[in-house]
Amino acid sequence: MLSHSAIDKLKSICGEKDVITSKIGMYAYGYDGTMLWGVPEGIVMPESTQEVVDVVNLCREQGITIVPRGAGTNESGGSVPVDGCIIMNFSRMKKILEVDIENYVAIVEPGVVNWDIQEMLAKYGYYYPPDPASWKASTMGGNLGECSGGPKCFKYGVTRDFIYGLEVVLPSGKVIWVGGKDFSSEPMYDMTRIFVGSEGTLGFITKIAIRIQPVPAAKKTMLAIYNTPEDGSQSVADIVAAGIIPTTLEMMDNLIINTTEDFVHAGNPRDAGALLILEVDGHPGDMDEQVKTIGEIVKKANAREFKVATSADEVDKIWLARRVAFGSVARVRPNYGVNDITVPRSKFPQAIAGIEKVKKEFGVTIGTVAHAGDGNLHPLILFDQRDKEEVETVHAAEKELCKMAIALEGTVSGEHGIGLLKKPLMIQEYGPATMDVFKKIKRAFDPQSQFNPGKLLDL
Amino acid sequence: MGVLAEVYEKLNTCGRCGFCHGACKTYKKDGAEYMVSRGRVQLIKALADGKVDADHDYEDAINSCLLCGECAIACPSGVRAHELVLVARRDLKLRKGIKPFAKSLVLSSLTKPGRLSFGFGFFAGFGKKMLNGLASGMQFYRGIDVLTMPASKVAFAKQVPEVITVPNPKRKVAFYVGCFMNHSLVETAHSVVKVLTKNDCEVIVPREQPCCGLPQYVYGDFESAKAQAKKVIDNFGKYDTIITACASCASQLKKEMIELFHDEPAYLPKVQEFAAKCYEFSEFVAKELEISDKLKNETPVIVTYHDPCHMVRYNTITEQPRKLLKSVPRLNYVEMFEANRCCGAAGLVQAFYHELSSAITADKAQNIINTGADVVATSCPACMLKINSGLKLKGSKTQIKHVADVLAAALD
């Protein structure tokens, strides 16, 4: 339990309303988007860098660990409390501090929601490309901590490709700025990229300079339907080989086609083995040529149907099934496990085959949605969390999927972070020498292991 | 586990993805996890499992929900958190009654017409004089513009004849006025009658206008809500068409009442039959009347529309009010940003969580101001009062009007 004097001091730093010690607070801050659970000792909601610094200093003196949290939508346990910690919730630090259109930069606080930035930038005809599925809920601090991706990331890159610089509060209480406001201003070590994806284990981010860019003048949305997932994945490889980089290359398998049909009647054929949603964007003059090339490629890969949306309504119709994909499986069974294994694009067909194998071996139901362009797969394993035996089988199947990804020279986590869930798999992916370097980095920043201890790696 | 057992399966379907954070206005303003649907659902489940207590903090989390239903649209797993919150409120009512006393007083007064008339009558007379005598700082009480809030000494239903005849009646409709319109927004009630009578409808305004039961229903007092529903059906059941111009009452009469009686199979058919005869004002006018040829207007006016939660999410009446507004000559209709999102009024949330509520209203007011509209039209008396206050707090001159007021003005 936090001492009364510690609670009083936290309140004097952050204000009465920004320190939560109620029973419901402890409960509601116990989870994230996974099934993991922990109990914090308290929650602080700082509203400025100075408050973050003061809390960090107080906690260091008192030996209290701190787990950072944005909206808590993460899928790997990164923001789940550890024993004896307080939660530092950044959701009240949500100012957009600066928008510099000329230099393609915006500076935001970590609690700003990704979607709020998109809405604000839309007024200028600009946007911020990383678009995780959680973008209407998840914060920029969280996106940064997990290095989030999204459908648009095939063409444009993931979060780390859009961060110019950061203000960071270190475990020592010192505030540093890393990176700059544009590409060329980071001589020395690339510190910015060390913080991206570090899940708050090295420092707490209090300001983020993000790269923004103009909304492309034109966009085309296409749908290709296949008899087999193999044909669909062949198209993916062929399109990229043809030198076309679509903004989006999303794939759904037969199970997902059927669950989405049950839910929204999008009009996709239930006997199809897979479908691909493709989008290209750029200069209006380039669109027809790209659509034509893609049309020829998918036909060569035995697509049974190829549609090009000609109106906003048709675009919506094509996206309808994809948008409800996750929820539609939740209607089949009460729970689903989201995985984000990623393999080299060229090995995408092998990964699809690997998933089929896991399905049979473990007797589990899996529906797959994939950011196919990135080789990033979301095999959704369906189950009921109250059936303990089933949960065990699901965990075993998930482990097998991860092993398969590593064997294909891929990674166990494309965009959802490591947190607690994927931590044990890191040694397989990187080997002891690299893990040792990671540990040294952690110790260099956080010798007392005060910031999000036990996440990513064990010291 | 009590009544929570009824929804235990549904509580389990929340996968805790947190997508509701983007949809929840109370979370956007407060930022705490228990102020969002995921947190509320997890807490209800925790109470059912005996892991948290129904303490004061829990009550605040449950009672501060706007019940706007926006999270249900964002939820990939199809959880309807607002419906689960309703059950949690019923559970709270059964555990400890309606608290605090002020809330209990408001809810019970609505079921007692005498007390309601006295209250509004007192406010219209002496109460306002008293407020007028105080400093202007008192104009806004808890973010509500109490000084200019209309209040009638005599309820609307007692100002007009019980049957308002027209020369060649083509239809006969009963007007369910609703408590708020009956006692406060009396002018709007007159507008409703005008639109109907100018379009050859004979309008019956029964003297007895029992509360629809929605306020009791949403705070978990199902017994009172059912009693009110039966009173409404007793008084209005004999008519073929019942019209109300209050979005919340409309939702209660058309939909929620049916929910309420699912455990009384003997009475349920009567409720279903009644519900099928009830219409929201613009729903009826747009569907049944040929109004557009009769509308006249010389002065150009810019109008926008706010969708009350009970119109857009509890029912799907969104096109009809817009269509009617657009049919007024020289009316330049502009759409506002987030027109269909909650204004923050949310029944008694505005009274008991007024800072939260007013912060939400401020966003709505800003979205209205950004359109440059002269008039913001809507279909719900509660939204009207709250939005009016929000606009005035921002110093805006934009007027709030009911769709019926806009149409009635064009029928002179």
Side-chain angles (χ1 to χ4, degrees):
Chain A
M1 282 289 282
L2 283 183
S3 66
H4 283 294
S5 75
I7 293 171
D8 287 345
K9 278 181 191 154
L10 288 172
K11 284 183 177 170
S12 72
I13 295 167
C14 294
E16 190 85 22
K17 281 189 174 170
D18 290 337
V19 179
I20 298 164
T21 52
S22 62
K23 199 165 175 185
I24 62 159
M26 299 305 125
Y27 191 85
Y29 280 89
Y31 53 80
D32 61 1
T34 65
M35 289 198 300
L36 300 169
W37 214 291
V39 183
E41 302 268 305
I43 299 106
V44 290
M45 306 178 86
E47 295 190 48
S48 68
T49 303
Q50 191 56 50
E51 286 183 11
V52 175
V53 170
D54 292 345
V55 172
V56 165
N57 285 335
L58 175 75
C59 289
R60 194 180 54 253
E61 284 157 18
Q62 307 231 352
I64 301 164
T65 56
I66 311 174
V67 173
R69 177 184 169 109
T73 55
N74 55 298
E75 297 280 2
S76 53
S79 59
V80 167
V82 296
D83 283 347
C85 81
I86 62 164
I87 296 279
M88 189 176 276
N89 187 352
F90 287 91
S91 66
R92 288 181 187 167
M93 239 174 124
K94 54 175 183 183
K95 288 194 280 292
I96 295 172
L97 300 167
E98 196 184 326
V99 182
D100 180 353
I101 293 293
E102 272 186 349
N103 289 306
Y104 285 18
V105 176
I107 299 179
V108 301
E109 290 188 333
V112 176
V113 172
N114 181 312
W115 181 256
D116 292 342
I117 293 175
Q118 312 289 2
E119 270 188 344
M120 184 272 301
L121 290 175
K123 292 177 202 155
Y124 302 95
Y126 278 65
Y127 77 122
Y128 168 73
D131 55 347
S134 62
W135 65 339
K136 288 190 177 174
S138 58
T139 64
M140 289 303 289
N143 286 185
L144 185 126
E146 306 290 339
C147 191
S148 305
K152 284 199 202 91
C153 291
F154 176 34
K155 180 168 179 180
Y156 293 108
V158 293
T159 300
R160 77 169 81 255
D161 302 308
F162 288 86
I163 306 298
Y164 280 141
L166 303 167
E167 182 187 82
V168 188
V169 177
L170 298 171
S172 64
K174 292 206 168 66
V175 183
I176 60 167
W177 181 273
V178 297
K181 265 189 75 173
D182 59 66
F183 269 128
S184 55
S185 55
E186 191 152 12
M188 298 304 286
Y189 300 120
D190 191 348
M191 294 267 278
T192 313
R193 285 186 166 226
I194 288 183
F195 285 107
V196 180
S198 70
E199 303 190 21
T201 56
L202 307 177
F204 293 159
I205 311 304
T206 45
K207 285 191 183 83
I208 310 169
I210 57 169
R211 192 176 110 210
I212 58 175
Q213 58 192 43
V215 176
K219 182 180 82 174
K220 283 281 177 191
T221 306
M222 294 151 271
L223 176 71
I225 295 170
Y226 301 86
N227 285 324
T228 67
E230 289 77 15
D231 289 343
S233 43
Q234 192 54 49
S235 283
V236 174
D238 294 349
I239 289 164
V240 180
I244 292 174
I245 305 180
T247 332
T248 298
L249 249 181
E250 296 284 296
M251 189 167 169
M252 286 164 46
D253 73 358
N254 175 273
L255 185 119
I256 304 287
I257 291 170
N258 277 284
T259 55
T260 53
E261 278 306 308
D262 289 342
F263 182 26
V264 290
H265 315 292
N268 295 316
R270 285 176 181 270
D271 63 334
L275 65 76
L276 273 183
I277 299 171
L278 308 103
E279 254 175 21
V280 291
D281 67 12
H283 191 272
D286 298 339
M287 293 296 103
D288 288 348
E289 184 64 32
Q290 290 196 25
V291 169
K292 193 173 152 238
T293 312
I294 290 173
E296 285 162 6
I297 290 170
V298 299
K299 266 177 209 134
K300 220 192 286 169
N302 303 321
R304 57 190 246 189
E305 232 180 287
F306 178 67
K307 276 188 231 170
V308 185
T310 52
S311 67
D313 279 351
E314 285 183 29
V315 171
D316 278 346
K317 199 161 173 254
I318 288 179
W319 274 105
L320 179 62
R322 174 62 186 88
R323 268 197 285 264
V324 300
F326 280 36
S328 68
V329 298
R331 285 166 165 82
V332 180
R333 299 293 307 277
N335 306 95
Y336 58 90
V338 188
N339 297 275
D340 62 327
I341 52 172
T342 302
V343 298
R345 268 188 292 279
S346 58
K347 294 185 174 158
F348 192 77
Q350 283 153 273
I352 292 284
I355 293 171
E356 290 299 322
K357 202 170 145 234
V358 170
K359 260 196 229 176
K360 285 198 193 90
E361 251 170 51
F362 290 82
V364 287
T365 310
I366 303 181
T368 302
V369 179
H371 308 307
D374 278 341
N376 185 342
L377 299 117
H378 293 323
L380 307 175
I381 310 188
L382 278 53
F383 65 104
D384 186 334
Q385 62 176 346
R386 288 162 295 180
D387 183 340
K388 295 281 173 271
E389 205 174 306
E390 193 180 11
V391 171
E392 288 305 310
T393 313
V394 168
H395 284 320
E398 282 177 331
K399 246 184 213 150
E400 194 57 34
L401 288 171
C402 290
K403 269 190 205 154
M404 180 264 291
I406 293 171
L408 292 173
E409 295 173 322
T411 170
V412 302
S413 174
E415 54 182 356
H416 292 171
I418 305 306
L420 292 166
L421 280 185
K422 309 251 174 71
K423 184 171 71 170
L425 297 159
M426 287 298 104
I427 181 80
Q428 294 173 38
E429 192 165 328
Y430 285 107
T434 311
M435 288 309 290
D436 200 41
V437 176
F438 288 150
K439 287 176 191 177
K440 282 182 179 147
I441 291 172
K442 167 74 177 170
R443 284 195 202 102
F445 281 95
D446 185 17
Q448 294 178 33
S449 203
Q450 192 201 346
F451 280 20
N452 214 2
K455 307 293 171 65
L456 301 189
L457 42 76
D458 288 312
L459 287 177
Chain B
M1 209 186 280
V3 291
L4 296 181
E6 288 172 21
V7 289
Y8 196 71
E9 279 302 305
K10 287 182 183 167
L11 292 167
N12 266 317
T13 55
C14 170
R16 296 208 296 265
C17 68
F19 282 20
C20 46
H21 288 62
C24 180
K25 286 271 180 196
T26 60
Y27 174 78
K28 284 257 169 188
K29 290 300 165 194
D30 186 274
E33 174 66 23
Y34 44 78
M35 294 294 279
V36 67
S37 307
R38 174 175 69 175
R40 290 182 174 116
V41 169
Q42 293 305 317
L43 286 176
I44 298 167
K45 183 163 177 273
L47 183 69
D49 291 338
K51 289 180 183 162
V52 297
D53 307 318
D55 58 12
H56 190 70
D57 298 314
Y58 173 85
E59 281 184 71
D60 280 343
I62 299 303
N63 287 333
S64 58
C65 174
L66 303 167
L67 300 180
C68 66
E70 287 176 26
C71 57
I73 295 163
C75 179
S77 301
V79 177
R80 296 178 64 78
H82 56 300
E83 293 175 5
L84 299 173
V85 166
L86 266 187
V87 178
R89 288 187 182 179
R90 190 162 120 237
D91 171 67
L92 275 175
K93 152 78 168 68
L94 295 170
R95 279 172 201 262
K96 38 190 7 185
I98 304 268
K99 295 237 170 80
F101 175 70
K103 187 183 283 169
S104 160
L105 181 72
V106 172
L107 296 182
S108 66
S109 296
L110 289 168
T111 65
K112 296 181 178 64
R115 217 196 273 175
L116 201 60
S117 292
F118 175 79
F120 272 97
F122 174 81
F123 183 68
F126 185 66
K128 284 223 169 180
K129 273 187 202 138
M130 209 167 70
L131 282 175
N132 271 318
L134 294 169
S136 60
M138 271 298 289
Q139 179 177 355
F140 292 94
Y141 178 68
R142 300 194 160 207
I144 298 169
D145 179 4
V146 284
L147 196 60
T148 58
M149 177 179 138
S152 177
K153 281 183 189 172
V154 182
F156 167 79
K158 295 194 172 136
Q159 294 179 6
V160 292
E162 197 157 4
V163 180
I164 305 168
T165 51
V166 290
N168 298 304
K170 286 189 187 139
R171 291 176 161 279
K172 199 168 161 183
V173 299
F175 181 18
Y176 177 81
V177 188
C179 302
F180 207 52
M181 202 170 278
N182 199 16
H183 294 280
S184 177
L185 298 174
V186 172
E187 291 309 313
T188 300
H190 282 292
S191 297
V192 171
V193 170
K194 183 171 167 188
V195 173
L196 294 172
T197 50
K198 291 252 178 186
N199 286 283
D200 308 316
C201 294
E202 182 177 291
V203 182
I204 300 147
V205 187
R207 286 273 191 272
E208 292 298 319
Q209 293 274 343
C211 173
C212 67
L214 177 115
Q216 297 80 20
Y217 174 63
V218 298
Y219 283 99
D221 184 358
F222 279 29
E223 290 64 39
S224 302
K226 279 183 174 178
Q228 288 309 118
K230 285 179 177 169
K231 280 189 213 167
V232 172
I233 294 173
D234 286 347
N235 280 283
F236 287 79
K238 53 181 172 282
Y239 305 110
D240 293 333
T241 306
I242 300 108
I243 292 169
T244 181
C246 168
S248 300
C249 297
S251 181
Q252 188 71 7
L253 302 184
K254 286 161 63 71
K255 281 203 156 165
E256 312 306 318
M257 251 184 209
I258 299 173
E259 288 296 310
L260 200 50
F261 283 95
H262 72 93
D263 58 349
E264 282 187 38
Y267 195 70
L268 187 61
K270 200 166 176 182
V271 182
Q272 286 167 325
E273 187 200 333
F274 176 74
K277 298 192 291 184
C278 293
Y279 291 86
E280 191 280 327
F281 170 78
S282 56
E283 180 191 23
F284 176 80
V285 176
K287 184 167 175 249
E288 302 292 339
L289 306 180
E290 292 295 330
I291 186 172
S292 55
D293 296 344
K294 302 190 184 78
L295 296 168
K296 292 186 180 62
N297 174 43
E298 296 303 324
T299 325
V301 60
I302 305 170
V303 178
T304 188
Y305 180 75
H306 159 72
D307 296 280
C309 300
H310 278 123
M311 293 284 276
V312 58
R313 279 174 295 275
Y314 284 73
N315 290 277
T316 46
I317 310 171
T318 55
E319 288 309 313
Q320 296 92 323
R322 286 176 172 80
K323 189 185 140 202
L324 292 172
L325 291 169
K326 286 175 188 168
S327 63
V328 175
R330 273 170 282 283
L331 185 150
N332 177 10
Y333 182 81
V334 287
E335 200 63 51
M336 75 169 95
F337 179 62
E338 296 189 339
N340 65 5
R341 301 204 64 178
C342 181
C343 70
L348 292 179
V349 171
Q350 60 183 314
F352 292 94
Y353 303 95
H354 63 96
E355 281 176 16
L356 185 68
S357 157
S358 295
I360 295 164
T361 312
D363 286 355
K364 177 59 73 176
Q366 195 57 51
N367 289 339
I368 294 166
I369 291 166
N370 290 347
T371 63
D374 305 306
V375 170
V376 50
T378 189
S379 308
C380 170
C383 299
M384 285 171 75
L385 177 68
K386 189 65 183 154
I387 291 173
N388 185 40
S389 305
L391 287 168
K392 281 194 177 155
L393 279 168
K394 283 185 178 282
S396 167
K397 296 262 184 279
T398 307
Q399 287 180 291
I400 180 100
K401 285 184 182 176
H402 196 286
V403 173
D405 294 324
V406 177
L407 297 181
L411 281 167
D412 282 326

